[in-house]
Amino acid sequence: MTIDTTNMCSHLQKKLFEEDGIYHSLWIAMQDDPELTAVVRSRQLHIYRNGKKVLVLAGKSAPKIIREDAICELLQTTNEASAESSSLELCLARRSCDEIEIERIKQMEQRFNKALAAIKDGSAISLKAVKEDVAELSKYYGSELWKQDFAADEAGNLPPDLKRGVLSEDGIWNLLSDYRDIQKKKQ
């Protein structure tokens, strides 16, 4: 099997093609299975069996199992056996989150709520006080960490009592947009 790796995430290339990569055994198994095909889309590897998508592999975020398949079982075995996986990869592979992810979400949620209150208040003092919070939220929203936290939420891996407005795509986008609009009006 050959695939065009031009647009593939460099992290994914290492995990897939290097002998010590956590997905390397998956790549080897794919070579021997004529029913499997793969294509790179949005820097991720989309894997199909007989034309039906079964798995999506990404460089920094968790693999996304679309439908149960033998190749997915191999992925789970590979992830569990990999002692060199980072704590985040292990967390996502086990379909649960650890204290680091939960603490990050709590901190970003505090920034989110503080910025929302400042925007609602509208005073120059309030808005100036949240400038750093908004900058951090903007950086977070555009990061792989936000995508991973969002995916964990979508998969139901976060504690049910965890406040997570910061993981709402519309909520954080609207906050950032409203803040920029207010800043433009002040100029």
Side-chain angles (χ1 to χ4, degrees):
M1 171 184 301
T2 58
I3 55 173
D4 180 8
T5 60
T6 307
N7 294 318
M8 183 185 285
C9 171
S10 62
H11 295 282
L12 180 56
Q13 288 181 27
K14 290 175 185 174
K15 290 178 178 181
L16 201 59
F17 303 127
E18 292 182 5
E19 285 188 33
D20 62 342
I22 63 171
Y23 301 148
H24 187 68
S25 60
L26 215 79
W27 176 247
I28 299 300
M30 289 170 60
Q31 303 306 304
D32 298 330
D33 194 332
E35 294 178 346
L36 289 176
T37 55
V39 65
V40 176
R41 287 197 184 107
S42 303
R43 301 178 48 84
Q44 302 173 335
L45 186 65
H46 295 247
I47 302 169
Y48 299 81
R49 180 173 301 281
N50 297 323
K52 294 186 178 184
K53 190 184 299 187
V54 295
L55 179 65
V56 178
L57 297 176
K60 289 186 177 179
S61 60
K64 185 173 186 178
I65 298 173
I66 307 300
R67 63 177 40 108
E68 292 302 317
D69 188 87
I71 199 81
C72 299
E73 291 171 17
L74 180 59
L75 169 73
Q76 291 168 341
T77 304
T78 301
N79 279 346
E80 290 167 5
S82 176
E84 295 181 329
S85 292
S86 72
S87 61
L88 179 58
E89 289 167 333
L90 286 173
C91 162
L92 293 169
R94 286 191 308 260
R95 305 283 195 258
S96 64
C97 285
D98 64 19
E99 293 175 22
I100 295 170
E101 286 77 17
I102 292 169
E103 188 58 34
R104 176 180 55 245
I105 293 168
K106 284 180 180 178
Q107 289 175 353
M108 289 300 167
E109 183 71 13
Q110 287 176 340
R111 289 179 183 269
F112 180 72
N113 290 328
K114 186 177 170 186
L116 278 176
I119 289 169
K120 186 176 181 181
D121 176 50
S123 73
I125 294 171
S126 295
L127 293 169
K128 186 175 182 180
V130 297
K131 183 177 181 177
E132 183 181 324
D133 294 308
V134 172
E136 287 299 314
L137 286 166
S138 181
K139 193 168 25 170
Y140 174 60
Y141 184 55
S143 74
E144 284 298 316
L145 289 175
W146 184 88
K147 292 173 189 171
Q148 290 167 355
D149 293 344
F150 178 80
D153 185 32
E154 290 288 300
N157 297 334
L158 298 177
D161 60 337
L162 179 67
K163 292 183 180 181
R164 54 172 69 70
V166 72
L167 298 179
S168 160
E169 289 179 280
D170 290 340
I172 196 165
W173 189 89
N174 288 342
L175 178 141
L176 296 171
S177 179
D178 291 348
Y179 184 81
R180 278 191 292 271
D181 289 346
I182 291 170
Q183 294 303 314
K184 285 179 185 175
K185 288 178 184 175
K186 286 175 41 178
Q187 293 176 349

